[in-house]
Amino acid sequence: MTFMTKLLGAAATLALSAGVATAEPAVIYDLGGKFDKSFNEAAFNGATRWAEETGGTFRDIELSSEAQREQALRRFAESGANPIITTGFAMADPIASVAPDYPDIKFVNVDGFLPEIPANVQMIAFEEHQGSYLVGMLAAMASETGTIGFVGGMDVPLIRHFGCGYAQGAKAVNPDINLVANMTGTTPTAWNDPVKGGELTRAQIGQGADVVYAAAGGTGVGVLQTAADEGIFSIGVDSNQNYLHPGSVLTSMLKRVDVAVFDAMSAGENLETGIQIRLGLEEEGVGYAVDEHNESLITDEMRAAVEEARQQIIDGELDVASYYANDSCPVFEF
């Protein structure tokens, strides 16, 4: 089953082929802003692609405080926007509160979880640990010091999920590899603090790290910049960030938020709801980026090893432990 078919369902695929939605969609970006060059920007790119390909228009808003979450949902719902697409796990609870009041509106949340999903809500989650496993392998193969780093954004299970996959992939290549990990903070401001990201990267370099993976939203921009300045490799996240520092960004762990948003908009009012969708390597929801900006950094041997692991994960021959399932990481303590 393809990524698009899995996400949309048969009725939604018909809506996509028609090229129209019956109402104007809306996007609510999480804290950090739609131009964070990472998670939110991927959502914006998906919405922009939909508008360019269909000639449609969409509305959007960038949140600046927690208090705006429910306000934004109700404002768009009252205005008739449909579907209303939100990014970030912190939007899950507000949607659970608001959606039942607007049964004719479809709501989407990317990255969240609800134990009980309202009938007019679609939840989309990604198997970030699978993609992170692959970039962890690349980090270990590229490292000359035997020490690699991880800079997370807000210290929440989602980010530990990224880090746990990264650690497993690295240790599959080198069981003795040393991993240094730091979280940027415990509040939503941790997603948009590139200065702190740079400081943490320099500290990890001081401990011997020569590859640092940033799973920190806009904070990661500071990680990638500092890595380039200091002459080590970085790994981007969510969007393809290889272009930011060609020759310095080893790869980027892709999380196809852009495709999820594009497909939700294409489905429009026919979006399948009341379900939780999980997108991993098999659905092409996660992966790693190789392009003209980093292809010289990834040898044939590195790519062959990662592709073999990728197929093993898809085939069920290789199980990447989930931080969510274990409430811990079996190979690293954060």
Side-chain angles (χ1 to χ4, degrees), residues 1-10 13 263 272:
M1 182 176 289
T2 67
F3 179 94
M4 185 172 293
T5 302
K6 184 177 180 70
L7 184 60
L8 299 183
T13 303
D263 289 351
E272 185 179 4

Side-chain angles (χ1 to χ4, degrees), residues 16 61 66 68 86 92 100 136 154 157-158 165 169 237 303 320 323 329:
L16 175 60
I61 186 172
E66 294 288 325
Q68 290 182 307
T86 67
M154 187 176 175
L158 170 64
V237 75
R303 191 159 187 173
V320 184
Y323 184 88
C329 184

Side-chain angles (χ1 to χ4, degrees), residues 137-156:
M137 290 181 66
L138 290 172
M141 287 186 281
S143 177
E144 296 182 355
T145 65
T147 296
I148 60 174
F150 176 82
V151 175
M154 187 176 175
D155 190 359
V156 290

